[in-house]
Amino acid sequence: MRISEVFMPGDRAIVLLSGGLDSTTAAAWGKANQYELFALTIDYHQRHRCELDAARRVGEFLQVSRHVFLNVNLAAFGGSSLTADDLEVRHDVPLEVIGREIPNTYVPARNTVFLSLALAFAETVSAEHIILGINAADYSGYPDCRPEYLDAFTNMARLATKAGVEGTLQLRFHAPLMTLSKREIIELGLSLGVDFSLTHTCYSPTADGKSCGRCESCLLRLKGFQEADIADPLEYA
């Protein structure tokens, strides 16, 4: 069962909104396609907590109908440099190496947890669509950012929900950025009117919220802006 890109104007959609470049562009795509957006932002006790403020800014910018901030403490498990104090975010990884292996910024089962919560939200507001900004082209190699993963989750969602079993909702998952490079994502976002100064990407920001410019997330973002020949509006340390 393939990822659907079919929509009807006015349909409700849950968008997983982290406040980053990708999720913001995906949300803007949903807005442009006339979905009524319900945003879900997860506070999983991540190291880069300023992304929560970015998500709030983006939600207001896109005028989402409802924005839920949910506290899910994945730091209780640890296992990732984004949630555990004893692990350091990798810096200065050569661009040609990024994506060859799963980095320590991988948060165990994060997208499965997030999509399950989005699914619960969708059932309660009768939203048939869930939008997320995962990408399998210019990315760090996370296993839960691949098309086959999202296909499998779509099948599971239709088996595991009352709405799916009874057929009251035709649940569809949209990953409009899946095959795009970071440059193409930036260009798409700009064509949709995204203000990227509202977003946050860095995994290890300074105390005053500046991006480090050295983590894999920053390096991929900077590469995308450079290839698009556009200045990144964020301030770097």
Side-chain angles (χ1 to χ4, degrees), residues 118-131:
L119 189 58
F121 193 8
E123 276 204 286
T124 63
V125 298
S126 298
E128 292 194 329
H129 307 270
I130 295 176
I131 301 170

Side-chain angles (χ1 to χ4, degrees), residues 85-135:
D85 292 335
D86 60 341
L87 294 174
E88 292 295 328
V89 173
R90 297 192 306 179
H91 287 161
D92 304 320
V93 177
L95 283 168
E96 64 273 14
V97 173
I98 295 176
R100 290 186 184 177
E101 61 182 26
I102 300 172
N104 71 1
T105 50
Y106 165 73
V107 180
R110 178 174 59 181
N111 278 345
T112 302
V113 173
F114 288 6
L115 280 172
S116 297
L117 295 169
L119 189 58
F121 193 8
E123 276 204 286
T124 63
V125 298
S126 298
E128 292 194 329
H129 307 270
I130 295 176
I131 301 170
L132 64 164
I134 61 174
N135 169 260

Side-chain angles (χ1 to χ4, degrees), residues 127-207:
E128 292 194 329
H129 307 270
I130 295 176
I131 301 170
L132 64 164
I134 61 174
N135 169 260
D138 259 352
Y139 79 128
S140 292
Y142 302 136
D144 50 5
C145 288
R146 297 172 298 163
E148 54 268 38
Y149 164 79
L150 195 54
D151 283 346
F153 193 94
T154 301
N155 286 328
M156 185 280 297
R158 292 174 179 171
L159 291 170
T161 57
K162 180 176 185 287
V165 170
E166 295 182 348
T168 55
L169 291 177
Q170 295 299 315
L171 294 164
R172 301 181 180 96
F173 291 77
H174 304 275
L177 316 183
M178 181 66 81
T179 62
L180 302 184
S181 68
K182 199 64 75 177
R183 173 186 63 80
E184 291 170 326
I185 293 170
I186 291 166
E187 291 173 343
L188 173 61
L190 292 173
S191 74
L192 297 173
V194 170
D195 180 355
F196 284 119
S197 71
L198 302 176
T199 65
H200 177 86
T201 296
C202 182
Y203 283 153
S204 57
T206 61

